[in-house]
Amino acid sequence: MPRICAIFTHFGSAERSLTCLRRLGAQTRIPENVLIINNSTADDALLPTAHELAAEIFPPDTLHILQMDSNLGNAGGCAHGIEHAFSKLHADFVWVLDDDSWPRPHSLEKLLAVEVDEMTVRMSLVIDPTKNDELSWPLTILTGNENRPWKSAITRDELPTGNIIPSRAGWLGALYPREAWIRAGVPTPELFIRGEDEEYPWKVRAAGFSFVTVADSPLEHPSSKVPLICYRVGKHTFFYEPGLPASRQYYKTRNWAWLQRLKHPKNPLLRLAACGFYILLSLRAMLQTNEVTFKKLYTLFRALHNGFYGKLRPY
């Protein structure tokens, strides 16, 4: 039986983290290890309560808490967590969660029931229970069209029938095998937030892995409070999230531009053109949502500048 380690970062909300812990304890197939990466202080109120709860719902020595020296964000915390899970806890698979992503009782069992080869990453289907189990965010899936092989499914109606859905990549709810860690390492810690969800799957795909989403393995996660704005340009899809705080907008944009350096290291003109389209589409979305402010504009251009030149400066 494979050794599964479920990981998630904690910072600020003990209620969310404890709910995630309870959901893991209610699994029909309980993971061998649960690792909480604590981005908060060592005296955080969560810690004693988490240990007490774990003693009630898990076998002994299931829960582990990895203390960070400071808040490293989700990317930094998960980088340490993945490394610890594979190197110290000897996991065969790491199940990537978040403190506000909560599996249903059969989620892990259904995920493991799907037989795949060693170069395939299985993922839970991320849904929002407050919106009739709609997709929490777009899922990029195969189309069968040679001219446009991938498309972003925004609603569940756009998903193909069947339980196993070939997907482009994924982060939250992904069950990463040990071999992915050996070949691709861990997420880049300096991404902080809003970047590991694209960078690490890209590195894993570049290492030769494919991804599938398992429809009957649901993972509850809140979606954006405001519907995303979607623009399709040729084979590409651009999403703008209205109401995003400036700090999150900065990291999302900076990390996107930085990732283009990895994808196209020898083609700065292509990356420059991509940044130009990013600016135009962002401005259009800002006008559409009445979010054109000096702070938003400054954040957009500063983030693209830093990412384009490979400078992962904090907000």
Side-chain angles (χ1 to χ4, degrees), residues 90-307:
H90 309 292
D92 296 309
F93 293 89
V94 164
W95 196 20
V96 178
L97 305 176
D98 204 349
D99 62 350
D100 59 352
S101 64
W102 305 331
R104 290 179 179 170
H106 291 85
S107 294
L108 182 56
E109 180 184 354
K110 294 294 186 180
L111 202 58
L112 291 169
V114 172
E115 295 185 3
V116 295
D117 61 45
E118 62 180 9
M119 298 298 289
T120 300
V121 178
R122 291 163 286 190
M123 305 187 299
S124 296
L125 183 67
V126 185
I127 58 171
D128 187 341
T130 67
K131 297 181 179 178
N132 297 317
D133 287 354
E134 259 303 349
L135 299 182
S136 293
W137 54 60
L139 177 65
T140 305
I141 59 174
L142 277 173
T143 64
N145 185 333
E146 292 183 1
N147 296 323
R148 189 174 178 229
W150 300 98
K151 76 169 185 177
S152 294
I154 300 175
T155 65
R156 293 192 71 157
D157 290 341
E158 298 177 72
L159 298 179
T161 58
N163 186 42
I164 303 175
I165 305 170
S167 307
R168 188 171 180 85
W171 168 252
L172 190 62
L175 190 67
Y176 282 106
R178 169 177 285 271
E179 190 65 22
W181 166 66
I182 292 172
R183 296 187 181 213
V186 299
T188 300
E190 291 80 11
L191 294 175
F192 193 67
I193 57 171
R194 307 294 292 238
E196 70 285 357
D197 54 340
E198 292 189 22
E199 183 248 9
Y200 192 62
W202 178 81
K203 289 199 299 188
V204 171
R205 279 186 61 85
F209 288 80
S210 58
F211 290 75
V212 295
T213 298
V214 180
D216 65 359
S217 172
L219 183 67
E220 298 178 5
H221 186 74
S223 58
S224 175
K225 295 180 180 179
V226 181
L228 299 176
I229 293 176
C230 171
Y231 301 134
R232 301 187 190 275
V233 182
K235 297 180 181 180
H236 304 282
T237 306
F238 175 85
F239 292 98
Y240 180 84
E241 188 174 348
L244 204 62
S247 60
R248 290 186 174 271
Q249 178 199 4
Y250 171 79
Y251 286 114
K252 178 182 178 181
T253 305
R254 184 205 67 175
N255 295 341
W256 173 86
W258 180 85
L259 182 57
Q260 305 314 303
R261 292 176 61 87
L262 297 186
K263 293 181 177 180
H264 311 288
K266 298 180 180 180
N267 199 335
L269 291 179
L270 178 63
R271 292 189 281 114
L272 188 62
C275 287
F277 276 108
Y278 196 102
I279 291 170
L280 291 175
L281 295 173
S282 295
L283 290 176
R284 178 183 174 184
M286 288 179 183
L287 286 168
Q288 184 176 332
T289 56
N290 196 29
E291 290 189 347
V292 179
T293 65
F294 175 79
K295 186 175 184 179
K296 282 274 189 179
L297 293 174
Y298 173 74
T299 298
L300 172 65
F301 283 94
R302 176 173 176 257
L304 287 173
H305 175 273
N306 287 343

Side-chain angles (χ1 to χ4, degrees), residues 35-109:
L35 178 62
I36 300 177
I37 304 102
N38 185 26
N39 275 327
S40 188
T41 58
D43 60 353
D44 191 278
L46 165 77
L47 305 185
T49 309
H51 283 295
E52 291 173 6
L53 178 61
E56 298 175 6
I57 63 177
F58 293 123
D61 301 321
T62 298
L63 178 65
H64 304 266
I65 296 179
L66 188 60
Q67 180 63 49
M68 298 293 97
D69 293 333
S70 60
N71 181 16
L72 302 181
N74 195 58
C78 284
H80 285 274
I82 291 173
E83 183 70 31
H84 189 84
F86 284 122
S87 65
K88 302 297 184 183
L89 301 179
H90 309 292
D92 296 309
F93 293 89
V94 164
W95 196 20
V96 178
L97 305 176
D98 204 349
D99 62 350
D100 59 352
S101 64
W102 305 331
R104 290 179 179 170
H106 291 85
S107 294
L108 182 56
E109 180 184 354

